[in-house]
Amino acid sequence: MANHYVQRDLTAEDIFNTGLRDQWYAICPSTFVERGAMQKVTRWGLDWLLFRKSDGEIRMLADRCPHRGAPLSQGMHLGDRIVCRYHGVQVDGGGTVVKVPGMPGCNMEGQQLVTSLPTREVGGVILAFFASAPDSQPVELGIPDPLADPEVSSFLSYMEWKAPWRYALENLLDPMHGAYLHADSHSMSGGETSARFRIRETDRGFFFEKTDQRGKNFDWVEYCRTGADWVDLEIPYPASAGPGGGFGIIGMATPIDAETTAVFFWRYRRVEGWERDVWRFLYRTTIEARHWAVVEQDRVMLEAMALDADQAENLYQHDLGVIRLRRLYRGQAEEQAKALLDAHG
Ligand code: FES
Ligand SMILES: [Fe+2]
């Protein structure tokens, strides 16, 4: 029996461009998938269907009917099942064909023929484990610690950028652009416009940080691999932004396809009691609009960069974080392509 989503012939380049396999990714805000509704999304260059079972649990299926390949998202959501609109085949949330109404007793019944990805909901976002093969077991997911911390109050923002996912991640591993691209912003106008950087290893990734400045601009970022890839960074706030000091950003980027990226930012502050109320009020009334203006500067720059911008670069010391990230991803993409080749010939 055929299963469309076994991708046997992927090259390392394909994997590098559309996302490493066998890790967790942020898919979309939880609010995108209401009970009883179906949400179609493209991730890693493939089409998927999200829905909630009758108990509210999220399911994520390849958006292809196992009969003749019609998109299941054109069908109907009936309780825990999806009914294909073309000939009525019914599939459950685990990807198993439950019923072939036109041919009762058909041998498709009872078989798991549609890829179903393991999912979680964390910090208002649906995450899924993108496996290299239908039977790969999900790795353990370490939730970014600020999202699990009750002392932290965060706001989620979601964007889709017409830029490769590596540009979005590299932008986060590049603190120095704060002092230039965002020099006119309320939070990144201060500090020196030159710096020396260093990489500091951690047991879950590394810090990329300025050696000579902290707390004045975008001065450090931590890159973390905890089953999902994410960054944590800090931006100072002026006193007018209320109590709580600087604010943090947890960032994740997921390839929609090789040229488009889903970007997730949780903007957070460690604030409790009345300080939390002040932060939430100020965020909604003034700070959020300023944040969007800053993020817009990133989006415009990244979308304007050519797809082959990285073919003729002259990198310098500030780009060590970017270099490190690329080396990591290239190496892993090569390993994964080789493993696919070994498994499928
Ligand atoms: S293609 Fe879906 S039931 Fe035929
Ligand atoms: Fe930026």
Side-chain angles (χ1 to χ4, degrees):
M1 291 253 160
N3 185 318
H4 166 68
Y5 277 90
V6 180
Q7 297 183 292
R8 287 159 210 267
D9 46 6
L10 288 174
T11 63
E13 193 65 18
D14 295 333
I15 293 173
F16 184 72
N17 288 335
T18 57
L20 297 172
R21 274 56 181 170
D22 292 327
Q23 65 183 55
W24 292 85
Y25 283 94
I27 303 301
C28 67
S30 293
T31 52
F32 282 22
V33 190
E34 287 171 11
R35 277 196 196 215
M38 293 188 290
Q39 176 70 42
K40 179 177 177 150
V41 294
T42 302
R43 296 292 180 268
W44 320 290
L46 302 167
D47 292 334
W48 305 90
L49 168 69
L50 291 160
F51 66 98
R52 290 184 189 277
K53 292 197 316 173
S54 48
D55 62 5
E57 252 187 62
I58 279 284
R59 289 291 178 265
M60 184 164 175
L61 293 179
D63 190 18
R64 248 190 230 203
C65 176
H67 174 218
R68 296 247 332 273
L72 290 170
S73 56
Q74 292 284 317
M76 263 186 317
H77 178 190
L78 272 188
D80 292 349
R81 304 176 181 186
I82 300 296
V83 183
C84 179
R85 185 166 172 80
Y86 210 3
H87 316 93
V89 165
Q90 299 185 10
V91 179
D92 72 12
T96 297
V97 175
V98 186
K99 198 169 177 184
V100 181
M103 175 68 73
C106 171
N107 70 346
M108 281 204 291
E109 286 181 359
Q111 301 217 47
Q112 206 260 338
L113 296 174
V114 181
T115 300
S116 170
L117 301 186
T119 53
R120 296 270 305 268
E121 287 190 84
V122 173
V125 166
I126 297 162
L127 287 99
F129 181 74
F130 183 36
S132 56
D135 53 358
S136 328
Q137 284 308 304
V139 298
E140 200 184 321
L141 171 65
I143 295 168
D145 25 294
L147 299 183
D149 184 341
E151 290 175 16
V152 161
S153 170
S154 66
F155 292 93
L156 170 70
S157 50
Y158 172 77
M159 294 141 279
E160 294 181 4
W161 290 351
K162 287 190 191 61
W165 75 305
R166 65 180 190 279
Y167 288 11
L169 271 180
E170 288 172 6
N171 182 55
L172 293 166
L173 267 292
D174 170 22
M176 203 62 204
H177 83 266
Y180 289 89
L181 183 62
H182 306 308
D184 63 353
S185 75
H186 70 299
S187 52
M188 283 174 278
S189 55
E192 297 294 331
T193 52
S194 66
R196 298 291 296 178
F197 279 86
R198 75 170 159 233
I199 285 177
R200 183 157 52 90
E201 307 292 339
T202 68
D203 54 7
R204 61 184 189 180
F206 61 91
F207 277 88
F208 188 55
E209 60 195 0
K210 292 178 186 168
T211 56
D212 35 18
Q213 178 174 294
R214 204 151 178 115
K216 295 211 168 63
N217 200 300
F218 177 9
D219 294 327
W220 61 267
V221 57
E222 184 187 3
Y223 172 72
C224 305
R225 308 200 87 193
T226 59
D229 290 358
W230 50 281
V231 301
D232 185 14
L233 58 93
E234 191 184 45
I235 306 285
Y237 258 161
S240 61
F247 78 104
I249 297 180
I250 299 291
M252 289 192 188
T254 303
I256 293 174
D257 55 34
E259 297 171 14
T260 325
T261 306
V263 180
F264 302 80
F265 288 143
W266 288 264
R267 292 150 174 168
Y268 72 89
R269 229 170 170 184
R270 231 166 269 280
V271 273
E272 285 190 288
W274 67 271
E275 292 193 341
R276 172 172 298 215
D277 297 339
V278 170
W279 147 244
R280 296 197 77 83
F281 175 76
L282 281 174
Y283 183 86
R284 291 208 178 90
T285 50
T286 57
I287 300 169
E288 181 173 13
R290 294 185 196 165
H291 280 332
W292 281 112
V294 171
V295 167
E296 194 57 9
Q297 293 171 328
D298 292 301
R299 183 190 67 78
V300 168
M301 178 56 70
L302 298 183
E303 290 191 351
M305 285 175 65
L307 292 176
D308 64 353
D310 55 3
Q311 297 304 301
E313 299 168 316
N314 293 283
L315 303 176
Y316 54 96
Q317 207 255 348
H318 296 176
D319 306 310
L320 282 175
V322 167
I323 293 167
R324 171 73 176 262
L325 193 69
R326 285 183 191 167
R327 203 173 287 155
L328 187 73
Y329 286 168
R330 285 247 176 241
Q332 202 164 342
E334 271 159 30
E335 276 170 29
Q336 293 189 350
K338 189 175 174 305
L340 280 177
L341 204 64
D342 291 348
H344 301 295

